[in-house]
């Protein structure tokens, strides 16, 4: 083929090599298409990831190309950029501000030993607080949060803990002063960063196999622990009360909503009158079934004592692996069409908001692609999605499939690839 014809053919091939909406279109090391489909533009999320986002300012597959350079110090990473736009400006969000209010990670460890049947072996906890006996080799949760807050610009941390640990296995009893003291070290470490801190009871709507309010612990026994926690943190405006992690197989969602209502009322009446409270649905809190399993309708009836729904936020989870279990290192979906888009429409129609408090994937190329797409969608719909919290840092080490724990090198912290590419701001 003559060289001139070959050149024209190559140019034609380049012109039609377009990325779909929400697909990756750039970033350090990216070798795929950099032009976006009609109605979307290539928007840089961070040095490692750029994505085709929809926007009214885009037309004809116009692309915003960004060249990035970084300068790293021991204290922080400073990113500068120079932008060259071909035929369109950076897209404006069709809903929201283009950035969720909150972004962060879970700091796990006080929940270790808890199983999905609500059994929590308190001997199995591995708290991410440095001075926890019998030794002092526990992970530095406070240091991790300082790094995430200062270097990655995160502003919310979820702090899971077993119900049995908080009350030293005394159902309906008082907070154990020793155990609560250790957990409070983590809470205070979080508050000291300036971030919001989710106190999360990690028991799957159960205590040792029995479902709360439905044959297991009574509502009063569950309310007791929350009344005490709310009284302790009533003056802390950045404490966020996460009522329960991942209720599942709950026989009656309306009965569960009544349990949630009892907790909300107790928290407010204990003096925590304005803090955020998370409302968890059935089905492992899946964003994909929140509407269809009745959770949305049932939890919509939950109110503050004054009759309002102010700062009562629906709490959803969603993983990106093949079975939504969060147990595989490879990701296969971005959860937009089958979960977050339908839920966004429902939230908007009902004037409510949600937060994604568990999502994660392996430190793999597939998870970087799909996780960044998912987070970009949440950012574009920040009017109804308050934020996202990755699973998980804290006491997890690099043998865990979904580890997000940064590594301390003696002078600073190094993030995992998924945190670096998608979760960090």
């Amino acid at each position: 083929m003559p060289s001139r014809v070959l050149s024209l053919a190559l140019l034609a091939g380049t012109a039609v090599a377009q990325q779909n909406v929400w697909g990756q279109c750039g970033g350090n090391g990216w070798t795929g298409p950099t032009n976006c489909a009609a109605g979307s533009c290539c928007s840089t999320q961070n040095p490692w990831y750029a994505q085709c986002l929809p926007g009214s300012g885009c037309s004809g597959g116009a692309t915003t190309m960004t060249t990035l350079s970084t300068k790293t110090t021991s204290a922080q990473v400073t990113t500068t950029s120079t932008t060259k736009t071909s035929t369109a400006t950076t897209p404006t969000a069709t809903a929201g501000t283009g950035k969720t209010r909150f972004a962060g990670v879970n700091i796990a460890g006080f929940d270790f030993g808890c199983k999905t049947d609500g059994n929590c072996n308190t001997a199995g906890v591995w708290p991410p607080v440095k001075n926890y006996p019998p030794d002092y080799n526990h992970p530095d949760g406070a240091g991790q949060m300082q790094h995430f807050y200062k270097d990655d610009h995160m502003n919310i941390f979820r702090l899971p803990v077993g119900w049995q640990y908080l009350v030293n296995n005394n159902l309906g009893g008082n907070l154990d002063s020793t155990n609560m003291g250790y957990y409070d070290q983590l809470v205070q470490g979080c508050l000291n960063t300036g971030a919001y801190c989710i106190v999360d009871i990690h028991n799957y709507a159960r205590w040792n196999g029995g479902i709360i309010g439905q044959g297991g612990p009574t509502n009063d026994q569950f309310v007791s622990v929350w009344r005490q926690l709310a009284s302790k943190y009533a003056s802390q405006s950045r404490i966020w009360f996460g009522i329960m992690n991942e209720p599942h197989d709950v026989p009656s969602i309306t009965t569960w909503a009544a349990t949630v209502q009892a907790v909300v009322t107790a928290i407010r009446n204990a003096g925590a009158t304005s803090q955020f409270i998370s409302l968890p649905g059935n089905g492992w809190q899946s964003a994909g079934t929140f509407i269809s399993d009745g959770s949305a309708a049932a939890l919509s009836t939950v109110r503050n004592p004054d009759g309002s729904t102010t700062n009562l936020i629906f709490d959803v989870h969603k993983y990106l692996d093949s079975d939504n279990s969060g147990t595989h290192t490879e990701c296969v979906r971005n959860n937009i069409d089958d979960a977050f888009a339908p839920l966004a429409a429902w939230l908007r129609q009902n004037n409510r908001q949600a937060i994604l408090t568990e999502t994660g994937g392996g430190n793999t190329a597939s998870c970087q692609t799909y996780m960044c797409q998912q987070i970009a969608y949440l950012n574009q719909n920040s009017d109804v999605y308050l934020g996202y919290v990755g699973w998980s840092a804290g006491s997890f080490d690099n043998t865990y499939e979904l580890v997000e724990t940064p590594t301390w090198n003696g002078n600073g912290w190094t993030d995992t690839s998924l945190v670096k590419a998608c979760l960090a701001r």
Side-chain angles (χ1 to χ4, degrees):
M1 181 182 295
S3 59
R4 180 174 176 273
V5 176
L6 176 61
S7 298
L8 290 173
L10 290 173
L11 288 172
T14 301
V16 299
Q18 291 187 332
Q19 181 61 278
N20 295 327
V21 178
W22 305 112
Q24 185 172 359
C25 56
N28 290 348
W30 174 249
T31 59
T34 57
N35 290 320
C36 294
S40 63
C41 293
C42 188
S43 177
T44 298
Q45 308 297 302
N46 55 51
W48 298 271
Y49 192 80
Q51 182 174 26
C52 292
L53 299 181
S56 58
C58 300
S59 61
T63 303
T64 300
M65 298 298 294
T66 302
T67 303
L68 294 144
S69 61
T70 60
K71 179 181 179 182
T72 306
T73 66
S74 60
Q76 63 182 5
V77 176
T78 303
T79 303
T80 60
S81 65
T82 57
T83 302
K84 180 180 179 182
T85 304
S86 57
T87 61
T89 58
T90 302
T92 56
T94 56
T97 62
K99 184 177 182 180
T100 60
R101 179 176 175 183
F102 298 107
V105 296
N106 283 260
I107 306 296
F110 278 104
D111 58 311
F112 284 14
C114 289
K115 299 179 180 179
T116 58
D117 63 359
N119 280 279
C120 290
N121 177 9
T122 55
V125 300
W126 190 254
V129 291
K130 293 175 67 176
N131 61 343
Y132 190 87
D135 59 66
Y136 298 95
N137 295 318
H138 287 252
D140 182 8
Q144 292 179 33
M145 290 185 285
Q146 286 286 344
H147 155 68
F148 285 131
Y149 183 82
K150 292 180 179 179
D151 301 335
D152 293 337
H153 310 293
M154 294 180 178
N155 60 358
I156 191 168
F157 301 106
R158 184 168 177 254
L159 314 176
V161 62
W163 183 5
Q164 286 91 333
Y165 181 82
L166 290 174
V167 297
N168 198 20
N169 294 298
N170 181 18
L171 178 61
N174 293 331
L175 294 172
D176 182 79
S177 58
T178 299
N179 290 356
M180 186 64 208
Y182 289 122
Y183 180 68
D184 187 56
Q185 287 183 33
L186 187 64
V187 175
Q188 296 304 321
C190 177
L191 290 171
N192 287 341
T193 67
Y196 280 71
C197 311
I198 303 176
V199 175
D200 161 61
I201 293 184
H202 218 75
N203 274 70
Y204 307 91
R206 289 160 168 78
W207 173 290
N208 295 346
I211 299 174
I212 303 167
Q214 302 188 48
T218 65
N219 283 353
D220 287 344
Q221 289 171 322
F222 188 44
V223 162
S224 172
V225 67
W226 273 117
R227 182 183 295 113
Q228 294 176 73
L229 288 167
S231 297
K232 181 175 181 63
Y233 296 119
S235 64
Q236 297 288 347
S237 62
R238 288 181 285 106
I239 287 291
W240 185 312
F241 300 103
I243 289 178
M244 178 56 63
N245 174 71
E246 295 189 348
H248 66 88
D249 301 295
V250 173
S252 170
I253 186 60
T254 55
T255 303
W256 172 246
T259 298
V260 173
Q261 177 66 74
V263 173
V264 168
T265 301
I267 289 173
R268 296 304 191 213
N269 289 342
T273 58
S274 61
Q275 290 93 332
F276 288 108
I277 302 177
S278 288
L279 311 182
N282 203 359
W284 310 90
Q285 292 178 246
S286 173
T289 60
F290 187 73
I291 301 170
S292 62
D293 70 8
S295 295
L299 293 175
S300 292
T301 67
V302 176
R303 295 288 190 271
N304 291 310
D306 64 3
S308 73
T309 58
T310 303
N311 289 345
L312 301 182
I313 309 301
F314 298 127
D315 191 344
V316 297
H317 292 178
K318 201 73 174 80
Y319 287 91
L320 302 93
D321 53 0
S322 58
D323 58 1
N324 189 41
S325 65
T327 59
H328 305 91
T329 57
E330 295 296 335
C331 296
V332 300
R333 58 173 60 90
N334 59 26
N335 297 317
I336 294 171
D337 292 340
D338 61 346
F340 291 110
L343 181 54
W346 186 93
L347 291 167
R348 216 167 268 126
Q349 181 180 3
N350 290 274
N351 196 30
R352 298 301 295 268
Q353 293 178 310
I355 185 169
L356 175 63
T357 60
E358 269 195 37
T359 189
N363 291 285
T364 58
S366 65
C367 289
Q368 288 181 33
T369 295
Y370 289 118
M371 177 65 77
C372 286
Q373 291 174 6
Q374 175 179 281
I375 288 176
Y377 183 83
L378 300 180
N379 283 330
Q380 291 297 104
N381 291 270
S382 60
D383 60 321
V384 291
Y385 291 116
L386 282 179
Y388 53 87
V389 188
W391 184 270
S392 174
S395 293
F396 285 110
D397 61 24
N398 61 13
T399 64
Y400 175 52
E401 291 90 340
L402 309 189
V403 63
E404 293 176 358
T405 308
T407 303
W408 175 253
N409 61 20
N411 296 309
W413 297 90
T414 301
D415 283 322
T416 63
S417 62
L418 188 66
V419 169
K420 185 185 297 184
C422 302
L423 299 174
R425 296 270 196 168

